[in-house]
Amino acid sequence: VQLQASGGGLVQAGGSLRLSCAASRRPFTNAVMAWFRQAPGKEREFVALIRVSSRSTAYADSVKGRFTISRDNPKNMLYLHMNNLKPEDTAVYYCASGSKFSTSNDYDDWGQGTLVTVSS
């Protein structure tokens, strides 16, 4: 599946953004979709994931209570609602699709990334 992430931008600390990820087709029933991010000079890290069918979710500790992952199945869209943004959230955010309920990088398909910059 091809993924297209969008919605990044420049926001002040404490602000909010919503990232979107459009999938080219409906993922298979047990697919898992996720958001990862990569800050300058750092490795890519897990942010959040959701299972398409059950909507079970998981979050990185650093974003719990601030970020919410959601999915609109009929529209083949994945979202990441980000609130109370901090400068350390600055990164390129990637959406991904796979079959494992996993926080590691073992996803099959990746979007191109969208840049989020949080100013202090």
Side-chain angles (χ1 to χ4, degrees), residues 17-73:
L17 276 177
R18 187 186 76 166
L19 304 184
S20 300
C21 178
S24 59
R25 58 173 173 79
R26 184 169 61 186
F28 59 93
T29 302
N30 291 325
V32 177
M33 299 196 73
W35 289 97
F36 286 76
R37 67 186 182 186
Q38 187 167 19
K42 295 187 177 180
E43 294 186 351
R44 187 162 54 189
E45 65 176 4
F46 166 76
V47 174
L49 64 81
I50 186 168
R51 187 177 291 283
V52 170
S53 57
S54 68
R55 302 186 188 273
S56 297
T57 60
Y59 294 91
D61 288 342
S62 59
V63 306
K64 278 181 182 177
R66 300 189 298 123
F67 291 11
T68 302
I69 189 171
S70 65
R71 172 153 177 85
D72 186 333
N73 288 345

Side-chain angles (χ1 to χ4, degrees), residues 50-116:
I50 186 168
R51 187 177 291 283
V52 170
S53 57
S54 68
R55 302 186 188 273
S56 297
T57 60
Y59 294 91
D61 288 342
S62 59
V63 306
K64 278 181 182 177
R66 300 189 298 123
F67 291 11
T68 302
I69 189 171
S70 65
R71 172 153 177 85
D72 186 333
N73 288 345
K75 295 183 178 179
N76 295 336
M77 293 293 295
L78 177 73
Y79 303 104
L80 184 68
H81 305 261
M82 305 185 294
N83 297 317
N84 190 21
L85 283 161
K86 303 176 181 180
E88 52 263 42
D89 294 318
T90 294
V92 176
Y93 284 71
Y94 299 90
C95 54
S97 177
S99 58
K100 300 178 182 179
F101 200 81
S102 171
T103 61
S104 60
N105 286 324
D106 52 349
Y107 282 75
D108 301 315
D109 302 297
W110 293 83
Q112 85 290 359
T114 185
L115 176 62
V116 173

